Amino acid sequence: MTSQVTPHAIGTSLQRLDGRGKVTGTAPYAFERVVDDDATYLHPVQATIALGQITAIDTAEAEALDGVITVLTHVNAPWLASTEDRELAVLQSDRVSFRGQLIGAVIAENPETARQAAGLVRISYAQWPHEVELSSKRGDLYTPETVNPSFPPDTDEGDVDTAMSAAPVTLDATYTTPLEYNNPMEPHTTVALWNDHELTLYDSTQGAHTVRTTVAPVLGLDPERVHVSAPHVGGGFGSKGVPHAHIVLAALAARSVEGRPVKFALTRQQMFSLAGHRTPTIQRLRLAADTDGRLSAIAHDVVEWTSKVKEFAEQTAVPSRNVYAAPNRHTSHRLAALDVPVPSWMRAPGECPGMFGPEVAVDETALKCGIDPVEFRVRNEPDVDPETGKPFSSRHLVECLRDGADRFGWYHRDPTPASRVERGWLVGTGVASSIYPTLRAVSTATIRVVAADHYRVDIGATDIGTGTWTALTQIAADALEVPVGHVDLRIGETAQPEASVAGGSTGNATWGTAIVEAARALRDTHGRPPEVGAEASGTTPNNPETQRFAMFAHGAQFAEVRVHADTGEIRVPRMLGVFAAGRIINPRTARSQFIGGMTMGLSMALHEVGVLDTRFGHVVNHDFAEYHIATNADVGDIEATWIDEDDPYVNPMGAKGIGEIGIVGTAAAIANAAHHATGIRLRELPITPDALLR
Ligand code: MOS
């Protein structure tokens, strides 16, 4: 499908085009966008109960503070045009639905005053008993209509129970992953300016157009009157993919000080109730195998939570539908709707938590069969997608496993757990598979000839630190058959043609396809070379090949774990990921994506857990001091590599998304290595020293 003669920008390790701007501090982030003496600052008031009703609000003391412009609460806030999205319906009623909910806002001349005044707002509540405890024994678990984004909640094929009773080797075990938080480096920030019925939002978001199309109807504005700008974003990991309530609050505040910008940056602590999170999961895995290690049944039953405010159903059991062959299969999702903030996307929703249970269960089953865990996975490689029966557009999971095993030195291991001790450290190795769907959305790109053979490419795509600025420039250069220096890419604005969110690992595939289409249209309508001033647009078409093929990226992850025999201290000195993700657009930025995902997976394995105080309904460790994230000192030798995979079916570039697959399976590889090191099987994340001191 890639027919043009290219200057081969794709596949080269072009340095980040936004790199200089970022390291010199000249690439503006949302909070830095308006440097105006006129700017005002917002500090929110948050609920201190998990469930109930506001019975009185006294704002007098706050309003009396010098520098306070106004205090917004449900008493005086304007009505929203739509409250259908209940997460976004801020200040519309006296109800409190979770602790930390936005119930007011102080707008002041400076951030310090706003913060001080927010602390002076007196609120009385009628408090009702709340429920924030997830358990698989709850009587109110329900089946959602779909799981994110639109998968059926349950699937069944064959008869798992019969296969379980007939099989010589079976496993029935429960695995849990905890409440987790995205925690991008740049806090969620909105700078809002309301002027003459036009709203401008300088927002830290994964999708400028997503913010526009979500926020406009809430405010009752024609989308054309909402302008969103996000040229540089300091990470999101999904938490900036779905617009959250703070954006609406900033917009309401801007309306109340019309003509003056309102700056609202969440604090790290506020992010723990206002920016989404990953639901805790309880996963029951049932596996049946013959003594040769061939699976006859896979059942994956998930219990997780959602918020009573708005449903979000993580698709945790979905990867079990596609990764291994087995004639008898079952998956299910059950939700508890609790008085908690709204869960949302976090890097690889579904696949990330949903490959922890299965990949540890597979390790356990391989051991029961006495088969090497790499070989076990190879033996269960399906010929076609087990769920749909379609062939894979390309699938090199086996090659990733074998290549990774060779590179990692896997076969030097003694398979016996707890058999290797080095100077007081128990040493083990583990493996897990990675899988992530290859999807694409719809976007439009415009290309204009600005000088002889020089092109400006406009598309409202976003770079959340992933390398979009660079990779799309490379794709455009190849599509236009010019050196990258002849391409002037512009992204991150609603002023540009409408583009999809940077989410679901769909960015490059979607935006890149639109750019290729625009380049074709330019060539078709204006010839070669096109005259200066010529312009053409292209939109990502439907991909007819999805009718014929199942499309996924794959990978294999290996980890070495050292556990101190006396203290239980756990270290991961070595990790290797081998991926098969189609054509790699830019090896430099791709490596960074893979390693970033694996590092986040390491963090998930060893550190990350939101500790909920069920008495009050809040997360106690809501800051970087206590919600631990892997630091440099936790990361050892980490390597990501890939197999050259030729896939002509996924998109014109032959590239699969890589933003999320790096985190899929990492935690399982580490848990499996910890078992190999110690003989202790851990089915609960994170893995902490106390659990290894049995
Ligand atoms: Mo990613 S969690 O799909 O933004």
Side-chain angles (χ1 to χ4, degrees), residues 1-15:
M1 289 172 80
T2 313
S3 55
Q4 65 267 35
V5 179
T6 73
H8 304 301
I10 289 180
T12 62
S13 282
L14 186 64
Q15 289 189 16

Side-chain angles (χ1 to χ4, degrees), residues 206 237-238 345-349 436 502-504 660:
Q206 292 173 225
F237 308 122
W345 298 350
M346 180 163 159
R347 203 172 197 169
Y436 196 83
E660 290 163 282

Side-chain angles (χ1 to χ4, degrees), residues 586-604:
N586 181 322
R588 184 193 303 265
T589 53
R591 176 181 302 275
S592 164
Q593 282 281 65
F594 289 133
I595 286 176
M598 292 167 69
T599 304
M600 205 164 164
L602 164 75
S603 194
M604 172 192 186

Side-chain angles (χ1 to χ4, degrees), residues 535-610:
E535 191 175 311
S537 291
T539 295
T540 325
N542 278 331
N543 184 359
E545 304 293 358
T546 57
Q547 305 291 324
R548 289 205 290 151
F549 296 107
M551 300 177 179
F552 295 89
H554 298 92
Q557 302 211 20
F558 295 80
E560 179 182 313
V561 161
R562 293 180 173 242
V563 177
H564 198 274
D566 298 327
T567 65
E569 181 180 345
I570 175 165
R571 292 272 157 199
V572 182
R574 207 155 63 90
M575 293 166 73
L576 169 69
V578 180
F579 299 93
R583 198 165 168 207
I584 297 301
I585 304 291
N586 181 322
R588 184 193 303 265
T589 53
R591 176 181 302 275
S592 164
Q593 282 281 65
F594 289 133
I595 286 176
M598 292 167 69
T599 304
M600 205 164 164
L602 164 75
S603 194
M604 172 192 186
L606 301 187
H607 305 300
E608 295 193 34
V609 52

Side-chain angles (χ1 to χ4, degrees), residues 640-692:
T641 181
W642 50 85
I643 282 167
D644 286 321
E645 186 174 65
D646 180 30
D647 190 326
Y649 306 114
V650 285
N651 51 57
M653 296 78 64
K656 297 176 177 178
I658 56 171
E660 290 163 282
I661 191 165
I663 197 176
V664 179
T666 318
I670 290 168
N672 294 339
H675 173 266
H676 183 231
T678 62
I680 299 169
R681 181 58 73 180
L682 298 171
R683 301 190 179 105
E684 181 185 349
L685 289 180
I687 299 165
T688 49
D690 53 312
L692 291 166

Side-chain angles (χ1 to χ4, degrees), residues 27-56:
Y29 290 78
F31 200 79
E32 304 160 329
R33 289 302 295 285
V34 179
V35 280
D36 192 336
D37 289 345
D38 225 19
T40 67
Y41 297 84
L42 187 161
H43 198 90
V45 181
Q46 293 177 274
T48 54
I49 62 167
L51 187 67
Q53 194 175 9
I54 299 165
T55 52

